[in-house]
Amino acid sequence: MDEKKNPDPWAIPDIGPETDEKKSESGADAFDATQWHEVKKGETLWKIAEQYYGDGSLYPKIFDANRDVLKDPNRINIGQKLRIP
Amino acid sequence: MQRYVYSFVIMILAAALLAACGSGDKGPAETALKAAEEAINTAKGEASKYMPDQVKSLESALASTREKLGKGDYKAVLSEAPALTSKAQEIASAAAAKKAELTKSWEGLSSGMPRVVEAIKSRVDILSQSKKLPAGMSAETLAQAKAGLSEITQQWTAATEASKGGNLMDAVAKASSVKVKAAEVLTLLKMPVPEALKS
């Protein structure tokens, strides 16, 4: 009998491949949607806010999201990685 | 004449013997069918939720075997009932495995997706306050992202409700559609799509 043409009605369905949810167990957070920006020469929070939001005046949003690494919104360092909320 | 009488008696005896043998199978056939019914009833609880098609096939096969018992086809019952019992046990094990798999999937989704939704909401809120949208993003794109966020929020609430109601299949299915929509919205917003949302 050709099993492909006449599948067993009792066949136990394949539970499927390893899911993405499982990947999160291996360490890296598979659901992390954080956007990061690495500060380049000549950049300011205003410019970064313009790049991501179109409006430089929204720079406090970036500053607030990075208070753990930024003490002063006017002082950011080249190579610093900032969260973009 | 006497020869014919002997033949007739022999035929009668043979028929009686066959009938006796057949009725001797009745008890074991009933016991085997009862065992199959019990195994199927035990399996049905969880299996109906996670593999309804298999349960339906099993029940239909049980009905057919029960019909054979009614017709006195005990040999067929004795041959089919044990197979039904073992199939019921197999389906019960598979349903338990499926439930464990879905539970794991839901645990991952329920801990991860709210953070993704929060990231989208945060960006949509900020862009809504912006006087000018970033390069490459139109007002229409932002409107699409807002509509997507609304859909995601509704679907996520429905997934959570399904999980609370014990319907893990539905919860995971709804959460999976949230994943797909969230990936679309993140792309619209030019945000990175997390690994878990890429498949």
Side-chain angles (χ1 to χ4, degrees):
Chain A
M1 187 167 68
D2 187 345
E3 287 182 13
K4 283 179 183 170
K5 285 181 184 169
N6 300 294
D8 180 358
W10 287 338
I12 306 300
D14 184 10
I15 284 166
E18 186 176 355
T19 61
D20 298 317
E21 289 72 55
K22 285 183 195 168
K23 284 181 198 166
S24 64
E25 291 169 5
S26 63
D29 184 353
F31 285 92
D32 186 12
T34 309
Q35 187 161 31
W36 295 91
H37 176 89
E38 188 173 337
V39 178
K40 292 170 211 71
K41 194 179 174 187
E43 282 186 330
T44 59
L45 282 187
W46 183 284
K47 277 187 180 173
I48 296 168
E50 263 185 342
Q51 182 186 331
Y52 289 97
Y53 308 143
D55 184 350
S57 71
L58 291 169
Y59 76 88
K61 303 283 183 191
I62 299 173
F63 178 62
D64 286 342
N66 293 278
R67 280 189 182 271
D68 55 334
V69 291
L70 297 178
K71 303 295 170 214
D72 180 345
N74 295 312
R75 290 191 65 178
I76 57 173
N77 301 314
I78 296 169
Q80 221 167 12
K81 286 183 178 171
L82 303 177
R83 277 185 216 91
I84 309 297
Chain B
M1 179 66 187
Q2 204 176 12
R3 205 174 128 205
Y4 288 117
V5 171
Y6 280 136
S7 297
F8 182 71
V9 169
I10 286 167
M11 278 169 64
I12 295 290
L13 281 173
L17 190 66
L18 276 173
C21 286
S23 66
D25 284 341
K26 187 182 178 186
E30 283 173 343
T31 307
L33 187 69
K34 197 177 174 193
E37 281 171 342
E38 279 170 8
I40 291 169
N41 284 334
T42 305
K44 249 170 39 178
E46 291 286 5
S48 298
K49 283 188 199 170
Y50 304 109
M51 32 193 58
D53 292 345
Q54 283 77 9
V55 171
K56 211 173 161 187
S57 297
L58 200 55
E59 284 187 313
S60 142
L62 176 68
S64 158
T65 307
R66 198 182 285 129
E67 207 176 299
K68 284 173 186 161
L69 183 74
K71 286 177 181 168
D73 190 355
Y74 306 126
K75 285 200 187 309
V77 175
L78 281 171
S79 140
E80 290 171 16
L84 289 176
T85 304
S86 64
K87 187 55 81 173
Q89 287 159 352
E90 197 181 311
I91 288 174
S93 299
K98 180 85 177 166
K99 184 184 179 184
E101 183 68 29
L102 286 167
T103 303
K104 210 169 198 176
S105 289
W106 175 251
E107 281 170 3
L109 286 161
S110 62
S111 76
M113 280 313 294
R115 285 180 288 132
V116 175
V117 176
E118 192 48 48
I120 293 173
K121 190 177 177 302
S122 165
R123 182 61 63 90
V124 166
D125 286 348
I126 294 172
L127 289 172
S128 299
Q129 296 167 39
S130 182
K131 291 175 190 125
K132 187 186 161 202
L133 290 171
M137 188 181 292
S138 66
E140 193 188 352
T141 308
L142 181 59
Q144 281 176 351
K146 282 181 181 174
L149 175 61
S150 168
E151 195 182 313
I152 286 166
T153 309
Q154 281 177 11
Q155 275 285 90
W156 184 251
T157 305
T160 309
E161 292 297 319
S163 161
K164 281 179 188 166
N167 193 343
L168 276 178
M169 288 264 270
D170 195 29
V172 171
K174 284 187 164 73
S176 299
S177 73
V178 170
K179 260 174 56 170
V180 173
K181 192 72 198 172
E184 281 175 28
V185 174
L186 285 165
T187 306
L188 283 172
L189 294 170
K190 300 186 184 303
M191 291 172 76
V193 176
E195 280 303 311
L197 274 63
K198 284 180 181 168
S199 59

PDB file of all heavy atoms in Angstrom, chain B residues 113 151-152 155-156 171-184:
ATOM      1  N   MET B 113       7.140  37.924  24.091  1.00  0.00           N
ATOM      2  CA  MET B 113       6.337  38.821  23.243  1.00  0.00           C
ATOM      3  C   MET B 113       5.952  40.150  23.907  1.00  0.00           C
ATOM      4  O   MET B 113       5.955  41.185  23.237  1.00  0.00           O
ATOM      5  CB  MET B 113       5.095  38.102  22.713  1.00  0.00           C
ATOM      6  CG  MET B 113       5.355  37.204  21.512  1.00  0.00           C
ATOM      7  SD  MET B 113       6.332  37.944  20.202  1.00  0.00           S
ATOM      8  CE  MET B 113       5.248  39.236  19.616  1.00  0.00           C
ATOM      9  N   GLU B 151      -3.713  45.819  16.236  1.00  0.00           N
ATOM     10  CA  GLU B 151      -4.046  44.416  15.936  1.00  0.00           C
ATOM     11  C   GLU B 151      -3.258  43.461  16.837  1.00  0.00           C
ATOM     12  O   GLU B 151      -3.802  42.500  17.381  1.00  0.00           O
ATOM     13  CB  GLU B 151      -3.707  44.146  14.462  1.00  0.00           C
ATOM     14  CG  GLU B 151      -4.308  42.875  13.913  1.00  0.00           C
ATOM     15  CD  GLU B 151      -3.884  42.636  12.469  1.00  0.00           C
ATOM     16  OE1 GLU B 151      -3.947  43.592  11.657  1.00  0.00           O
ATOM     17  OE2 GLU B 151      -3.473  41.515  12.175  1.00  0.00           O
ATOM     18  N   ILE B 152      -1.970  43.777  16.993  1.00  0.00           N
ATOM     19  CA  ILE B 152      -1.095  42.946  17.832  1.00  0.00           C
ATOM     20  C   ILE B 152      -1.623  42.906  19.269  1.00  0.00           C
ATOM     21  O   ILE B 152      -1.705  41.844  19.891  1.00  0.00           O
ATOM     22  CB  ILE B 152       0.353  43.517  17.810  1.00  0.00           C
ATOM     23  CG1 ILE B 152       1.024  43.218  16.470  1.00  0.00           C
ATOM     24  CG2 ILE B 152       1.185  42.983  18.957  1.00  0.00           C
ATOM     25  CD1 ILE B 152       2.303  44.014  16.237  1.00  0.00           C
ATOM     26  N   GLN B 155      -4.791  40.778  19.463  1.00  0.00           N
ATOM     27  CA  GLN B 155      -4.490  39.357  19.282  1.00  0.00           C
ATOM     28  C   GLN B 155      -3.767  38.784  20.499  1.00  0.00           C
ATOM     29  O   GLN B 155      -3.973  37.647  20.889  1.00  0.00           O
ATOM     30  CB  GLN B 155      -3.628  39.136  18.037  1.00  0.00           C
ATOM     31  CG  GLN B 155      -4.407  39.027  16.766  1.00  0.00           C
ATOM     32  CD  GLN B 155      -5.098  37.668  16.649  1.00  0.00           C
ATOM     33  OE1 GLN B 155      -6.222  37.504  17.089  1.00  0.00           O
ATOM     34  NE2 GLN B 155      -4.418  36.687  16.089  1.00  0.00           N
ATOM     35  N   TRP B 156      -2.897  39.617  21.072  1.00  0.00           N
ATOM     36  CA  TRP B 156      -2.142  39.151  22.234  1.00  0.00           C
ATOM     37  C   TRP B 156      -3.079  38.946  23.430  1.00  0.00           C
ATOM     38  O   TRP B 156      -2.948  37.969  24.177  1.00  0.00           O
ATOM     39  CB  TRP B 156      -1.003  40.120  22.582  1.00  0.00           C
ATOM     40  CG  TRP B 156      -0.192  39.554  23.704  1.00  0.00           C
ATOM     41  CD1 TRP B 156      -0.134  39.986  24.988  1.00  0.00           C
ATOM     42  CD2 TRP B 156       0.642  38.381  23.639  1.00  0.00           C
ATOM     43  NE1 TRP B 156       0.675  39.162  25.732  1.00  0.00           N
ATOM     44  CE2 TRP B 156       1.161  38.171  24.924  1.00  0.00           C
ATOM     45  CE3 TRP B 156       0.980  37.494  22.628  1.00  0.00           C
ATOM     46  CZ2 TRP B 156       2.014  37.110  25.223  1.00  0.00           C
ATOM     47  CZ3 TRP B 156       1.828  36.430  22.919  1.00  0.00           C
ATOM     48  CH2 TRP B 156       2.340  36.258  24.200  1.00  0.00           C
ATOM     49  N   ALA B 171      -3.948  29.389  22.025  1.00  0.00           N
ATOM     50  CA  ALA B 171      -3.064  30.437  22.556  1.00  0.00           C
ATOM     51  C   ALA B 171      -1.783  30.528  21.729  1.00  0.00           C
ATOM     52  O   ALA B 171      -1.379  31.622  21.322  1.00  0.00           O
ATOM     53  CB  ALA B 171      -2.736  30.142  24.020  1.00  0.00           C
ATOM     54  N   VAL B 172      -1.185  29.380  21.451  1.00  0.00           N
ATOM     55  CA  VAL B 172       0.080  29.379  20.692  1.00  0.00           C
ATOM     56  C   VAL B 172      -0.169  29.811  19.242  1.00  0.00           C
ATOM     57  O   VAL B 172       0.624  30.556  18.668  1.00  0.00           O
ATOM     58  CB  VAL B 172       0.775  27.989  20.778  1.00  0.00           C
ATOM     59  CG1 VAL B 172       1.957  27.902  19.834  1.00  0.00           C
ATOM     60  CG2 VAL B 172       1.226  27.723  22.210  1.00  0.00           C
ATOM     61  N   ALA B 173      -1.305  29.385  18.677  1.00  0.00           N
ATOM     62  CA  ALA B 173      -1.624  29.782  17.294  1.00  0.00           C
ATOM     63  C   ALA B 173      -1.794  31.302  17.207  1.00  0.00           C
ATOM     64  O   ALA B 173      -1.252  31.943  16.294  1.00  0.00           O
ATOM     65  CB  ALA B 173      -2.886  29.072  16.830  1.00  0.00           C
ATOM     66  N   LYS B 174      -2.518  31.864  18.150  1.00  0.00           N
ATOM     67  CA  LYS B 174      -2.743  33.323  18.143  1.00  0.00           C
ATOM     68  C   LYS B 174      -1.422  34.068  18.389  1.00  0.00           C
ATOM     69  O   LYS B 174      -1.133  35.068  17.731  1.00  0.00           O
ATOM     70  CB  LYS B 174      -3.773  33.712  19.211  1.00  0.00           C
ATOM     71  CG  LYS B 174      -5.202  33.375  18.800  1.00  0.00           C
ATOM     72  CD  LYS B 174      -6.198  33.924  19.814  1.00  0.00           C
ATOM     73  CE  LYS B 174      -7.605  33.954  19.276  1.00  0.00           C
ATOM     74  NZ  LYS B 174      -8.249  32.659  19.165  1.00  0.00           N
ATOM     75  N   ALA B 175      -0.644  33.561  19.335  1.00  0.00           N
ATOM     76  CA  ALA B 175       0.645  34.197  19.636  1.00  0.00           C
ATOM     77  C   ALA B 175       1.574  34.125  18.431  1.00  0.00           C
ATOM     78  O   ALA B 175       2.348  35.051  18.180  1.00  0.00           O
ATOM     79  CB  ALA B 175       1.283  33.525  20.846  1.00  0.00           C
ATOM     80  N   SER B 176       1.463  33.055  17.665  1.00  0.00           N
ATOM     81  CA  SER B 176       2.309  32.927  16.465  1.00  0.00           C
ATOM     82  C   SER B 176       1.909  33.962  15.421  1.00  0.00           C
ATOM     83  O   SER B 176       2.773  34.510  14.730  1.00  0.00           O
ATOM     84  CB  SER B 176       2.203  31.523  15.880  1.00  0.00           C
ATOM     85  OG  SER B 176       2.658  30.597  16.833  1.00  0.00           O
ATOM     86  N   SER B 177       0.610  34.255  15.324  1.00  0.00           N
ATOM     87  CA  SER B 177       0.192  35.277  14.362  1.00  0.00           C
ATOM     88  C   SER B 177       0.622  36.669  14.868  1.00  0.00           C
ATOM     89  O   SER B 177       0.933  37.550  14.073  1.00  0.00           O
ATOM     90  CB  SER B 177      -1.304  35.205  14.074  1.00  0.00           C
ATOM     91  OG  SER B 177      -2.044  35.687  15.152  1.00  0.00           O
ATOM     92  N   VAL B 178       0.685  36.830  16.188  1.00  0.00           N
ATOM     93  CA  VAL B 178       1.200  38.089  16.752  1.00  0.00           C
ATOM     94  C   VAL B 178       2.672  38.255  16.375  1.00  0.00           C
ATOM     95  O   VAL B 178       3.114  39.349  16.010  1.00  0.00           O
ATOM     96  CB  VAL B 178       1.023  38.121  18.298  1.00  0.00           C
ATOM     97  CG1 VAL B 178       1.770  39.291  18.913  1.00  0.00           C
ATOM     98  CG2 VAL B 178      -0.445  38.187  18.675  1.00  0.00           C
ATOM     99  N   LYS B 179       3.397  37.153  16.415  1.00  0.00           N
ATOM    100  CA  LYS B 179       4.823  37.180  16.060  1.00  0.00           C
ATOM    101  C   LYS B 179       5.017  37.683  14.632  1.00  0.00           C
ATOM    102  O   LYS B 179       5.867  38.528  14.365  1.00  0.00           O
ATOM    103  CB  LYS B 179       5.398  35.755  16.157  1.00  0.00           C
ATOM    104  CG  LYS B 179       6.151  35.487  17.420  1.00  0.00           C
ATOM    105  CD  LYS B 179       6.576  34.040  17.548  1.00  0.00           C
ATOM    106  CE  LYS B 179       7.406  33.496  16.417  1.00  0.00           C
ATOM    107  NZ  LYS B 179       7.973  32.158  16.713  1.00  0.00           N
ATOM    108  N   VAL B 180       4.203  37.130  13.738  1.00  0.00           N
ATOM    109  CA  VAL B 180       4.315  37.506  12.314  1.00  0.00           C
ATOM    110  C   VAL B 180       4.000  38.991  12.141  1.00  0.00           C
ATOM    111  O   VAL B 180       4.734  39.727  11.469  1.00  0.00           O
ATOM    112  CB  VAL B 180       3.359  36.631  11.456  1.00  0.00           C
ATOM    113  CG1 VAL B 180       3.315  37.105  10.022  1.00  0.00           C
ATOM    114  CG2 VAL B 180       3.766  35.168  11.526  1.00  0.00           C
ATOM    115  N   LYS B 181       2.914  39.427  12.771  1.00  0.00           N
ATOM    116  CA  LYS B 181       2.500  40.837  12.632  1.00  0.00           C
ATOM    117  C   LYS B 181       3.542  41.762  13.264  1.00  0.00           C
ATOM    118  O   LYS B 181       3.854  42.826  12.715  1.00  0.00           O
ATOM    119  CB  LYS B 181       1.120  41.023  13.306  1.00  0.00           C
ATOM    120  CG  LYS B 181       0.465  42.337  12.995  1.00  0.00           C
ATOM    121  CD  LYS B 181      -0.018  42.356  11.542  1.00  0.00           C
ATOM    122  CE  LYS B 181      -0.275  43.774  11.065  1.00  0.00           C
ATOM    123  NZ  LYS B 181      -0.565  43.821   9.627  1.00  0.00           N
ATOM    124  N   ALA B 182       4.077  41.346  14.414  1.00  0.00           N
ATOM    125  CA  ALA B 182       5.073  42.177  15.101  1.00  0.00           C
ATOM    126  C   ALA B 182       6.324  42.351  14.220  1.00  0.00           C
ATOM    127  O   ALA B 182       6.889  43.451  14.156  1.00  0.00           O
ATOM    128  CB  ALA B 182       5.448  41.550  16.437  1.00  0.00           C
ATOM    129  N   ALA B 183       6.714  41.292  13.523  1.00  0.00           N
ATOM    130  CA  ALA B 183       7.882  41.382  12.635  1.00  0.00           C
ATOM    131  C   ALA B 183       7.605  42.389  11.514  1.00  0.00           C
ATOM    132  O   ALA B 183       8.492  43.188  11.153  1.00  0.00           O
ATOM    133  CB  ALA B 183       8.203  40.012  12.057  1.00  0.00           C
ATOM    134  N   GLU B 184       6.379  42.374  11.008  1.00  0.00           N
ATOM    135  CA  GLU B 184       6.005  43.329   9.940  1.00  0.00           C
ATOM    136  C   GLU B 184       6.085  44.767  10.451  1.00  0.00           C
ATOM    137  O   GLU B 184       6.622  45.655   9.786  1.00  0.00           O
ATOM    138  CB  GLU B 184       4.552  43.072   9.504  1.00  0.00           C
ATOM    139  CG  GLU B 184       4.362  41.908   8.558  1.00  0.00           C
ATOM    140  CD  GLU B 184       2.884  41.643   8.285  1.00  0.00           C
ATOM    141  OE1 GLU B 184       2.068  42.583   8.355  1.00  0.00           O
ATOM    142  OE2 GLU B 184       2.573  40.478   8.021  1.00  0.00           O
TER     143      GLU B 184
END
